[in-house]
Coordinates of all heavy atoms in Angstrom, one line a residue:
R292 N -19.9 71.8 58.0 CA -19.5 71.0 59.2 C -20.6 70.1 59.7 O -20.4 69.0 60.0 CB -19.0 71.9 60.3 CG -17.5 72.1 60.3 CD -17.1 72.7 61.7 NE -16.0 73.6 61.5 CZ -14.8 73.3 61.5 NH1 -14.5 72.0 61.7 NH2 -13.8 74.1 61.3
A293 N -21.8 70.7 59.7 CA -22.9 69.9 60.2 C -23.1 68.6 59.4 O -23.5 67.6 59.9 CB -24.2 70.7 60.2
L294 N -22.9 68.8 58.1 CA -23.1 67.6 57.2 C -22.1 66.5 57.5 O -22.5 65.3 57.4 CB -22.9 68.0 55.7 CG -24.1 68.8 55.1 CD1 -23.7 69.2 53.7 CD2 -25.3 68.0 55.0
Q295 N -20.9 66.8 58.0 CA -19.9 65.8 58.3 C -20.3 64.9 59.4 O -20.0 63.7 59.4 CB -18.6 66.5 58.6 CG -17.9 67.2 57.5 CD -16.7 68.0 57.9 OE1 -16.5 68.3 59.0 NE2 -15.9 68.4 56.9
V296 N -21.1 65.4 60.4 CA -21.5 64.6 61.5 C -22.8 63.9 61.4 O -23.2 63.2 62.2 CB -21.4 65.4 62.8 CG1 -20.0 65.9 63.1 CG2 -22.3 66.6 62.8
M297 N -23.5 64.3 60.3 CA -24.8 63.7 60.1 C -24.8 62.3 59.6 O -23.8 61.9 58.9 CB -25.6 64.5 59.0 CG -26.0 65.9 59.5 SD -26.9 66.8 58.2 CE -28.5 66.4 58.6
E298 N -25.8 61.5 60.0 CA -25.9 60.1 59.5 C -26.3 60.2 58.0 O -26.9 61.1 57.6 CB -27.1 59.5 60.3 CG -27.4 58.1 60.0 CD -28.6 57.9 59.1 OE1 -29.4 58.8 59.0 OE2 -28.6 56.9 58.4
P299 N -25.8 59.3 57.2 CA -25.9 59.4 55.7 C -27.4 59.6 55.3 O -27.6 60.4 54.4 CB -25.4 58.0 55.2 CG -24.4 57.7 56.2 CD -24.9 58.1 57.6
R300 N -28.4 58.9 55.9 CA -29.8 59.1 55.5 C -30.2 60.5 55.7 O -30.9 61.1 54.9 CB -30.6 58.1 56.2 CG -32.1 58.0 55.6 CD -32.9 57.0 56.4 NE -32.4 55.7 56.3 CZ -32.7 54.8 55.4 NH1 -33.6 55.1 54.4 NH2 -32.3 53.6 55.4
A301 N -29.9 61.1 56.9 CA -30.3 62.4 57.2 C -29.6 63.4 56.3 O -30.2 64.4 55.8 CB -29.9 62.7 58.7
R302 N -28.3 63.2 56.0 CA -27.6 64.0 55.1 C -28.2 64.0 53.7 O -28.4 65.1 53.1 CB -26.1 63.6 55.0 CG -25.2 64.4 54.2 CD -23.8 63.9 54.0 NE -23.2 63.5 55.3 CZ -22.6 62.3 55.5 NH1 -22.6 61.4 54.5 NH2 -22.1 62.0 56.6
A303 N -28.6 62.8 53.3 CA -29.2 62.7 52.0 C -30.6 63.4 51.9 O -30.9 64.0 50.9 CB -29.4 61.2 51.6
T304 N -31.3 63.3 53.0 CA -32.6 64.0 53.0 C -32.4 65.5 52.9 O -33.1 66.2 52.1 CB -33.4 63.7 54.3 OG1 -33.6 62.3 54.4 CG2 -34.7 64.4 54.4
L305 N -31.4 66.0 53.6 CA -31.1 67.5 53.5 C -30.7 67.9 52.1 O -31.2 68.8 51.5 CB -30.1 67.8 54.5 CG -29.8 69.3 54.6 CD1 -29.8 69.8 56.0 CD2 -28.4 69.6 54.0
L306 N -29.8 67.1 51.5 CA -29.2 67.4 50.2 C -30.3 67.3 49.1 O -30.3 68.1 48.2 CB -28.1 66.4 49.8 CG -26.8 66.5 50.7 CD1 -25.8 65.4 50.3 CD2 -26.1 67.9 50.4
S307 N -31.2 66.3 49.2 CA -32.2 66.1 48.2 C -33.2 67.3 48.2 O -33.9 67.5 47.2 CB -33.0 64.8 48.5 OG -32.1 63.7 48.3
G308 N -33.3 68.0 49.3 CA -34.2 69.1 49.4 C -33.7 70.5 48.9 O -34.4 71.5 48.8
L309 N -32.4 70.5 48.5 CA -31.8 71.7 48.1 C -32.1 72.1 46.7 O -32.3 71.2 45.9 CB -30.2 71.6 48.3 CG -29.7 71.5 49.7 CD1 -28.2 71.3 49.7 CD2 -30.1 72.7 50.6
S310 N -32.0 73.3 46.3 CA -32.2 73.7 44.9 C -30.9 73.2 44.2 O -29.9 73.0 44.8 CB -32.2 75.3 44.8 OG -31.0 75.8 45.2
P311 N -31.0 73.1 42.8 CA -29.8 72.6 42.1 C -28.6 73.4 42.3 O -27.5 72.9 42.5 CB -30.3 72.7 40.6 CG -31.8 72.5 40.7 CD -32.2 73.2 42.0
S312 N -28.7 74.8 42.4 CA -27.5 75.6 42.6 C -26.9 75.4 44.0 O -25.7 75.3 44.2 CB -27.8 77.1 42.3 OG -28.8 77.5 43.2
D313 N -27.8 75.3 45.0 CA -27.4 75.1 46.4 C -26.8 73.7 46.6 O -25.8 73.5 47.3 CB -28.5 75.3 47.4 CG -28.9 76.7 47.6 OD1 -28.1 77.6 47.2 OD2 -30.0 77.0 48.1
L314 N -27.4 72.7 45.9 CA -26.8 71.4 45.9 C -25.5 71.3 45.4 O -24.5 70.7 45.9 CB -27.8 70.4 45.2 CG -27.3 69.0 45.1 CD1 -27.2 68.3 46.5 CD2 -28.3 68.2 44.2
S315 N -25.3 71.9 44.2 CA -24.0 71.9 43.6 C -22.9 72.6 44.5 O -21.8 72.0 44.6 CB -24.0 72.7 42.2 OG -22.8 72.8 41.6
A316 N -23.2 73.7 45.1 CA -22.3 74.4 45.9 C -21.9 73.5 47.2 O -20.8 73.5 47.6 CB -22.8 75.7 46.4
T317 N -23.0 72.9 47.7 CA -22.8 72.1 48.9 C -21.9 70.9 48.6 O -21.0 70.5 49.3 CB -24.1 71.6 49.5 OG1 -24.9 72.8 49.8 CG2 -23.9 70.8 50.8
L318 N -22.2 70.2 47.5 CA -21.4 69.0 47.1 C -20.0 69.3 46.9 O -19.1 68.5 47.2 CB -22.0 68.4 45.8 CG -23.4 67.7 46.0 CD1 -24.0 67.4 44.6 CD2 -23.3 66.5 46.9
K319 N -19.7 70.5 46.3 CA -18.3 70.8 46.1 C -17.5 70.9 47.4 O -16.3 70.8 47.4 CB -18.2 72.2 45.3 CG -18.6 72.0 43.9 CD -18.6 73.3 43.1 CE -19.1 73.1 41.7 NZ -19.3 74.3 41.0
G320 N -18.2 71.2 48.5 CA -17.5 71.3 49.8 C -17.4 70.0 50.6 O -16.9 70.0 51.7
M321 N -18.0 68.9 50.0 CA -18.1 67.7 50.7 C -16.9 66.7 50.3 O -16.5 66.8 49.1 CB -19.4 67.0 50.5 CG -20.6 67.7 51.1 SD -22.2 66.9 50.7 CE -22.0 65.3 51.4
A322 N -16.5 65.9 51.2 CA -15.5 64.9 50.8 C -16.2 63.8 50.0 O -17.4 63.5 50.2 CB -14.9 64.3 52.1
S323 N -15.4 63.1 49.2 CA -16.0 62.0 48.3 C -16.6 61.0 49.2 O -17.7 60.4 48.8 CB -14.9 61.4 47.5 OG -14.4 62.3 46.5
E324 N -16.1 60.6 50.3 CA -16.6 59.6 51.2 C -18.0 60.0 51.7 O -18.9 59.1 51.8 CB -15.7 59.3 52.3 CG -16.2 58.2 53.3 CD -16.4 56.8 52.6 OE1 -15.7 56.5 51.6 OE2 -17.2 56.1 53.1
E325 N -18.2 61.3 52.0 CA -19.5 61.7 52.5 C -20.5 61.6 51.4 O -21.7 61.2 51.6 CB -19.4 63.2 53.0 CG -18.6 63.4 54.2 CD -18.3 64.8 54.5 OE1 -18.4 65.7 53.6 OE2 -17.9 65.1 55.6
I326 N -20.1 62.0 50.2 CA -21.0 61.8 49.1 C -21.4 60.4 48.8 O -22.5 60.0 48.7 CB -20.4 62.5 47.8 CG1 -20.3 64.0 48.0 CG2 -21.2 62.2 46.6 CD1 -19.5 64.7 46.9
H327 N -20.3 59.5 48.8 CA -20.5 58.1 48.5 C -21.5 57.4 49.5 O -22.4 56.7 49.1 CB -19.1 57.4 48.6 CG -19.2 56.0 48.1 ND1 -19.1 55.7 46.8 CD2 -19.3 54.8 48.8 CE1 -19.2 54.3 46.6 NE2 -19.3 53.8 47.9
T328 N -21.3 57.7 50.8 CA -22.2 57.1 51.8 C -23.6 57.6 51.7 O -24.6 56.9 52.2 CB -21.7 57.2 53.2 OG1 -21.5 58.6 53.5 CG2 -20.3 56.5 53.4
S329 N -23.8 58.8 51.2 CA -25.2 59.3 51.1 C -25.9 58.9 49.8 O -27.1 59.0 49.7 CB -25.1 60.9 51.0 OG -24.5 61.4 52.2
L330 N -25.2 58.4 48.8 CA -25.8 58.1 47.5 C -27.0 57.2 47.5 O -28.0 57.5 46.9 CB -24.7 57.4 46.6 CG -23.7 58.4 45.9 CD1 -22.7 57.6 45.1 CD2 -24.3 59.4 45.1
P331 N -27.0 56.1 48.3 CA -28.2 55.2 48.2 C -29.5 55.9 48.7 O -30.5 55.5 48.4 CB -27.8 54.1 49.2 CG -26.3 54.1 49.2 CD -25.9 55.5 49.1
F332 N -29.3 57.0 49.5 CA -30.5 57.6 50.1 C -30.9 58.9 49.3 O -32.0 59.5 49.7 CB -30.2 57.9 51.5 CG -29.7 56.8 52.3 CD1 -28.4 56.8 52.7 CD2 -30.4 55.7 52.6 CE1 -27.8 55.7 53.4 CE2 -29.9 54.6 53.3 CZ -28.6 54.6 53.7
L333 N -30.2 59.3 48.4 CA -30.5 60.6 47.7 C -31.6 60.3 46.6 O -31.8 59.2 46.1 CB -29.3 61.1 46.9 CG -28.1 61.7 47.7 CD1 -26.9 61.9 46.8 CD2 -28.5 62.9 48.4
S334 N -32.3 61.4 46.3 CA -33.3 61.4 45.2 C -32.4 61.1 43.9 O -31.2 61.4 43.9 CB -34.0 62.7 45.1 OG -33.1 63.7 44.7
H335 N -33.1 60.7 42.9 CA -32.3 60.3 41.7 C -31.7 61.6 41.1 O -30.5 61.5 40.6 CB -33.2 59.7 40.6 CG -33.8 58.4 41.1 ND1 -32.9 57.3 41.4 CD2 -35.0 58.0 41.4 CE1 -33.7 56.3 41.8 NE2 -34.9 56.7 41.8
A336 N -32.3 62.7 41.1 CA -31.8 63.9 40.6 C -30.6 64.4 41.4 O -29.5 64.8 40.9 CB -32.8 65.0 40.5
A337 N -30.7 64.3 42.7 CA -29.6 64.7 43.6 C -28.5 63.7 43.5 O -27.3 64.1 43.5 CB -30.1 64.8 45.1
R338 N -28.8 62.4 43.3 CA -27.7 61.4 43.1 C -27.0 61.7 41.8 O -25.7 61.6 41.8 CB -28.3 60.0 43.1 CG -27.3 58.9 43.0 CD -27.9 57.6 43.0 NE -28.8 57.3 44.1 CZ -30.0 56.7 44.0 NH1 -30.4 56.3 42.9 NH2 -30.7 56.5 45.1
G339 N -27.7 62.1 40.8 CA -27.0 62.4 39.5 C -26.1 63.6 39.7 O -25.0 63.6 39.2
A340 N -26.5 64.6 40.4 CA -25.7 65.8 40.7 C -24.5 65.4 41.5 O -23.4 65.8 41.2 CB -26.5 66.9 41.4
A341 N -24.7 64.5 42.5 CA -23.6 64.1 43.4 C -22.5 63.3 42.6 O -21.3 63.6 42.7 CB -24.1 63.3 44.5
L342 N -23.0 62.4 41.8 CA -22.1 61.6 41.0 C -21.3 62.4 40.0 O -20.2 62.1 39.7 CB -22.9 60.4 40.2 CG -23.3 59.3 41.1 CD1 -24.3 58.4 40.4 CD2 -22.1 58.5 41.6
S343 N -22.0 63.5 39.5 CA -21.3 64.3 38.5 C -20.2 65.2 39.2 O -19.3 65.7 38.5 CB -22.4 65.3 37.9 OG -23.3 64.5 37.1
T344 N -20.2 65.3 40.5 CA -19.1 66.0 41.2 C -17.9 65.1 41.5 O -16.8 65.7 41.7 CB -19.6 66.6 42.5 OG1 -19.9 65.6 43.4 CG2 -20.8 67.5 42.3
L345 N -18.1 63.8 41.4 CA -17.0 62.9 41.7 C -16.1 62.7 40.5 O -16.5 62.9 39.4 CB -17.5 61.5 42.1 CG -18.3 61.5 43.4 CD1 -18.9 60.0 43.6 CD2 -17.4 61.8 44.6
P346 N -14.8 62.3 40.7 CA -14.0 62.0 39.6 C -14.7 60.8 38.8 O -15.4 60.0 39.4 CB -12.7 61.5 40.2 CG -12.7 62.1 41.6 CD -14.1 62.2 42.0
R347 N -14.5 60.8 37.5 CA -15.3 59.8 36.6 C -15.1 58.4 37.1 O -16.1 57.7 37.1 CB -14.8 60.0 35.2 CG -15.0 61.4 34.6 CD -16.4 61.8 34.5 NE -16.5 63.2 34.2 CZ -17.2 64.1 34.9 NH1 -17.8 63.7 36.0 NH2 -17.2 65.3 34.6
A348 N -13.9 58.0 37.4 CA -13.7 56.6 37.8 C -14.5 56.3 39.1 O -15.1 55.3 39.3 CB -12.3 56.2 38.0
A349 N -14.4 57.2 40.1 CA -15.1 57.1 41.4 C -16.6 57.1 41.2 O -17.3 56.3 41.8 CB -14.7 58.2 42.3
A350 N -17.1 57.9 40.3 CA -18.5 57.9 40.0 C -19.0 56.6 39.4 O -20.0 56.1 39.8 CB -18.8 59.1 39.0
A351 N -18.2 56.0 38.5 CA -18.6 54.7 37.9 C -18.6 53.6 38.9 O -19.5 52.8 39.0 CB -17.6 54.4 36.8
V352 N -17.6 53.6 39.9 CA -17.6 52.6 40.9 C -18.8 52.8 41.8 O -19.5 51.8 42.2 CB -16.3 52.7 41.7 CG1 -16.4 51.9 43.0 CG2 -15.1 52.3 40.9
A353 N -19.1 54.0 42.2 CA -20.2 54.3 43.1 C -21.6 53.9 42.4 O -22.4 53.4 43.0 CB -20.3 55.8 43.5
M354 N -21.7 54.3 41.1 CA -22.9 53.9 40.4 C -23.1 52.4 40.3 O -24.2 51.9 40.5 CB -22.8 54.5 39.0 CG -24.1 54.2 38.2 SD -25.2 55.6 38.0 CE -24.4 56.6 36.9
A355 N -22.0 51.7 40.0 CA -22.0 50.2 39.9 C -22.4 49.6 41.2 O -23.0 48.4 41.2 CB -20.7 49.7 39.4
A356 N -22.2 50.2 42.3 CA -22.6 49.7 43.6 C -24.1 49.8 44.0 O -24.6 49.2 44.9 CB -21.7 50.3 44.7
L357 N -24.7 50.6 43.2 CA -26.2 50.8 43.4 C -27.0 49.6 42.8 O -26.5 49.0 41.8 CB -26.6 52.1 42.7 CG -26.1 53.4 43.2 CD1 -26.4 54.5 42.3 CD2 -26.6 53.7 44.6
P358 N -28.2 49.3 43.3 CA -29.0 48.3 42.7 C -29.3 48.7 41.3 O -29.3 49.9 40.9 CB -30.3 48.4 43.6 CG -29.9 49.0 44.8 CD -28.8 49.9 44.5
F359 N -29.6 47.7 40.4 CA -29.8 48.0 39.0 C -30.8 49.0 38.7 O -30.6 49.9 37.9 CB -30.1 46.7 38.3 CG -30.4 46.9 36.8 CD1 -29.3 47.1 35.9 CD2 -31.6 46.9 36.3 CE1 -29.5 47.4 34.6 CE2 -31.9 47.2 34.9 CZ -30.8 47.4 34.1
E360 N -32.0 49.0 39.4 CA -33.0 49.9 39.1 C -32.5 51.4 39.4 O -32.9 52.3 38.7 CB -34.3 49.6 39.9 CG -35.4 50.5 39.6 CD -36.7 50.1 40.3 OE1 -37.0 48.9 40.3 OE2 -37.3 51.0 40.9
D361 N -31.8 51.5 40.5 CA -31.2 52.8 40.8 C -30.2 53.3 39.8 O -30.1 54.5 39.4 CB -30.6 52.8 42.2 CG -31.7 52.9 43.3 OD1 -32.8 53.3 43.0 OD2 -31.4 52.4 44.4
Q362 N -29.4 52.3 39.3 CA -28.5 52.7 38.2 C -29.2 53.2 37.0 O -28.9 54.2 36.4 CB -27.6 51.5 37.8 CG -26.7 51.0 38.8 CD -25.9 49.8 38.3 OE1 -25.7 49.6 37.1 NE2 -25.5 48.9 39.2
L363 N -30.3 52.5 36.6 CA -31.1 52.9 35.5 C -31.7 54.3 35.6 O -31.6 55.1 34.7 CB -32.2 51.9 35.3 CG -33.2 52.1 34.2 CD1 -32.6 52.0 32.9 CD2 -34.4 51.1 34.4
L364 N -32.2 54.6 36.8 CA -32.9 55.9 37.0 C -31.9 57.0 37.2 O -32.2 58.1 37.0 CB -33.8 55.8 38.3 CG -35.0 54.8 38.1 CD1 -35.7 54.6 39.4 CD2 -36.0 55.4 37.0
T365 N -30.6 56.6 37.6 CA -29.6 57.6 37.9 C -28.8 58.0 36.6 O -28.4 59.1 36.4 CB -28.7 57.1 39.0 OG1 -29.4 56.9 40.2 CG2 -27.6 58.2 39.3
V366 N -28.6 57.0 35.8 CA -27.8 57.2 34.6 C -28.3 58.4 33.7 O -27.6 59.1 33.1 CB -27.5 55.9 33.8 CG1 -28.7 55.6 33.0 CG2 -26.3 56.1 32.9
V367 N -29.6 58.5 33.7 CA -30.2 59.6 32.9 C -30.1 61.0 33.7 O -30.4 62.0 33.1 CB -31.7 59.3 32.6 CG1 -31.8 58.1 31.7 CG2 -32.6 59.2 33.8
C368 N -29.7 61.0 34.9 CA -29.6 62.2 35.7 C -28.2 62.8 35.8 O -28.0 63.9 36.2 CB -30.2 62.0 37.1 SG -31.9 61.6 37.2
V369 N -27.2 62.0 35.4 CA -25.8 62.5 35.5 C -25.4 63.3 34.3 O -26.1 63.2 33.3 CB -24.8 61.3 35.7 CG1 -25.1 60.5 37.0 CG2 -24.9 60.3 34.6
D370 N -24.3 64.0 34.4 CA -23.9 64.7 33.2 C -23.4 63.7 32.2 O -23.2 62.6 32.4 CB -22.8 65.7 33.6 CG -21.5 65.1 34.1 OD1 -20.9 64.4 33.3 OD2 -21.2 65.3 35.3
A371 N -23.4 64.2 30.9 CA -23.1 63.3 29.8 C -21.7 62.6 29.9 O -21.6 61.5 29.6 CB -23.1 64.1 28.5
E372 N -20.7 63.3 30.4 CA -19.4 62.7 30.6 C -19.4 61.6 31.6 O -18.8 60.5 31.3 CB -18.4 63.8 31.0 CG -16.9 63.4 30.9 CD -16.0 64.5 31.2 OE1 -16.3 65.7 31.0 OE2 -14.8 64.2 31.6
T373 N -20.0 61.8 32.7 CA -20.1 60.8 33.7 C -20.9 59.6 33.2 O -20.6 58.4 33.4 CB -20.8 61.3 35.0 OG1 -20.0 62.4 35.5 CG2 -20.9 60.2 36.1
G374 N -22.0 59.9 32.5 CA -22.9 58.8 32.0 C -22.1 58.0 30.9 O -22.2 56.7 31.0
A375 N -21.4 58.7 30.1 CA -20.6 57.9 29.0 C -19.5 57.1 29.7 O -19.3 55.9 29.3 CB -20.0 58.9 28.1
H376 N -18.9 57.6 30.7 CA -17.8 56.8 31.4 C -18.4 55.6 32.1 O -17.9 54.5 32.0 CB -17.1 57.7 32.4 CG -16.0 57.0 33.1 ND1 -14.7 56.9 32.6 CD2 -15.9 56.2 34.2 CE1 -13.9 56.2 33.4 NE2 -14.7 55.8 34.4
F377 N -19.6 55.8 32.7 CA -20.2 54.7 33.4 C -20.6 53.6 32.3 O -20.4 52.4 32.6 CB -21.5 55.1 34.1 CG -22.3 54.0 34.6 CD1 -21.8 53.2 35.7 CD2 -23.6 53.7 34.1 CE1 -22.6 52.2 36.2 CE2 -24.3 52.7 34.6 CZ -23.8 51.9 35.7
L378 N -21.2 54.0 31.2 CA -21.6 53.0 30.2 C -20.4 52.2 29.7 O -20.5 51.0 29.4 CB -22.4 53.7 29.1 CG -23.7 54.3 29.5 CD1 -24.3 55.1 28.3 CD2 -24.7 53.2 29.9
K379 N -19.3 52.9 29.6 CA -18.1 52.2 29.1 C -17.5 51.2 30.1 O -16.9 50.2 29.7 CB -16.9 53.2 28.8 CG -17.2 54.1 27.6 CD -16.0 55.1 27.4 CE -16.4 56.2 26.5 NZ -15.4 57.2 26.5
T380 N -17.9 51.3 31.3 CA -17.4 50.4 32.3 C -18.3 49.1 32.4 O -17.9 48.2 33.1 CB -17.3 51.0 33.7 OG1 -18.6 51.3 34.2 CG2 -16.4 52.3 33.7
L381 N -19.4 49.2 31.9 CA -20.3 48.0 32.0 C -19.9 46.9 31.1 O -19.5 47.1 30.0 CB -21.8 48.5 31.6 CG -22.5 49.4 32.5 CD1 -23.8 49.8 31.9 CD2 -22.7 48.8 33.9
A382 N -20.1 45.7 31.6 CA -19.9 44.5 30.8 C -21.0 44.4 29.8 O -22.1 44.9 30.1 CB -19.9 43.2 31.7
P383 N -20.8 43.8 28.6 CA -21.8 43.8 27.6 C -23.2 43.3 28.0 O -24.2 43.9 27.7 CB -21.2 42.9 26.5 CG -19.7 43.1 26.6 CD -19.5 43.3 28.1
P384 N -23.3 42.2 28.9 CA -24.7 41.8 29.3 C -25.3 42.9 30.1 O -26.5 43.1 30.0 CB -24.4 40.6 30.1 CG -23.1 40.1 29.7 CD -22.3 41.3 29.3
A385 N -24.6 43.6 31.0 CA -25.2 44.6 31.8 C -25.6 45.8 31.0 O -26.6 46.4 31.2 CB -24.2 45.0 32.9
L386 N -24.7 46.2 30.0 CA -25.1 47.3 29.1 C -26.3 46.9 28.3 O -27.2 47.8 28.2 CB -23.9 47.6 28.2 CG -24.1 48.7 27.2 CD1 -24.4 50.0 27.9 CD2 -22.8 48.9 26.3
A387 N -26.4 45.7 27.8 CA -27.6 45.3 27.0 C -28.8 45.4 27.9 O -29.9 45.9 27.5 CB -27.4 43.9 26.5
Q388 N -28.7 44.9 29.2 CA -29.9 45.0 30.1 C -30.3 46.4 30.4 O -31.5 46.7 30.4 CB -29.5 44.3 31.4 CG -30.6 44.1 32.4 CD -30.2 43.5 33.7 OE1 -29.0 43.2 33.9 NE2 -31.2 43.2 34.5
L389 N -29.3 47.3 30.6 CA -29.6 48.7 30.8 C -30.3 49.3 29.6 O -31.3 50.0 29.7 CB -28.3 49.5 31.2 CG -28.5 51.0 31.4 CD1 -29.3 51.2 32.7 CD2 -27.1 51.6 31.6
L390 N -29.7 49.1 28.4 CA -30.3 49.7 27.2 C -31.7 49.1 26.9 O -32.6 49.9 26.5 CB -29.4 49.4 26.0 CG -28.1 50.2 26.1 CD1 -27.2 49.8 24.9 CD2 -28.2 51.7 26.1
N391 N -31.9 47.9 27.2 CA -33.3 47.3 27.0 C -34.3 47.9 28.0 O -35.4 48.1 27.6 CB -33.2 45.8 27.2 CG -32.6 45.1 26.0 OD1 -32.5 45.6 24.9 ND2 -32.1 43.9 26.2
A392 N -33.8 48.2 29.2 CA -34.7 48.8 30.2 C -35.0 50.2 29.8 O -36.1 50.7 30.1 CB -34.1 48.7 31.6
L393 N -34.1 50.9 29.2 CA -34.3 52.3 28.8 C -35.3 52.4 27.6 O -36.1 53.3 27.5 CB -33.0 53.0 28.4 CG -32.1 53.3 29.6 CD1 -30.7 53.8 29.1 CD2 -32.7 54.4 30.4
D394 N -35.2 51.4 26.7 CA -36.0 51.4 25.5 C -36.5 49.9 25.3 O -35.9 49.2 24.5 CB -35.2 51.9 24.3 CG -36.1 52.0 23.1 OD1 -37.3 52.0 23.2 OD2 -35.5 52.1 22.0
P395 N -37.6 49.6 26.0 CA -38.1 48.2 25.9 C -38.5 47.8 24.5 O -38.6 46.6 24.2 CB -39.2 48.1 26.9 CG -39.4 49.4 27.5 CD -38.4 50.4 26.9
A396 N -38.8 48.7 23.6 CA -39.3 48.4 22.3 C -38.1 48.0 21.5 O -37.9 47.1 20.9 CB -39.9 49.6 21.6

């Protein structure tokens, strides 16, 4: 309940400090909107865990709303299914940019 009334940045700070198992349990009890509003403020690992709890389409929309650098750093933290779904939603130029950033060589 306390998380519901918290400002998104404060909620994200709290979530980012949880252990992976506590984070997973907490995220399962949160509404998608609460997760979505906290995403920009979460650590990359916590953001990956949060996106992995959302339905695949919602996770892709949420990920696409992040700045490119955050997308890049987050896509490696999400589960494989969410990551694959996100990559499928990218337009070819955006996918090429992401892949080039992941492997500049």
Side-chain angles (χ1 to χ4, degrees):
R292 263 191 217 273
L294 285 174
Q295 293 172 342
V296 297
M297 291 179 93
E298 182 261 336
R300 188 180 302 269
R302 184 184 311 128
T304 300
L305 185 129
L306 292 172
S307 293
L309 295 177
S310 70
S312 60
D313 288 343
L314 177 62
S315 178
T317 302
L318 290 169
K319 288 178 183 169
M321 290 176 62
S323 292
E324 180 61 26
E325 292 168 341
I326 294 172
H327 188 83
T328 58
S329 300
L330 283 177
F332 310 111
L333 289 172
S334 67
H335 297 298
R338 186 181 301 137
L342 287 166
S343 297
T344 67
L345 295 174
R347 301 298 168 234
V352 169
M354 180 102 76
L357 296 170
F359 178 75
E360 185 176 312
D361 284 336
Q362 291 180 29
L363 175 66
L364 294 169
T365 302
V366 76
V367 297
C368 295
V369 296
D370 64 66
E372 191 176 334
T373 300
H376 183 87
F377 172 68
L378 292 175
K379 288 179 195 172
T380 67
L381 291 176
L386 180 58
Q388 186 182 5
L389 179 65
L390 293 175
N391 287 338
L393 286 171
D394 184 16

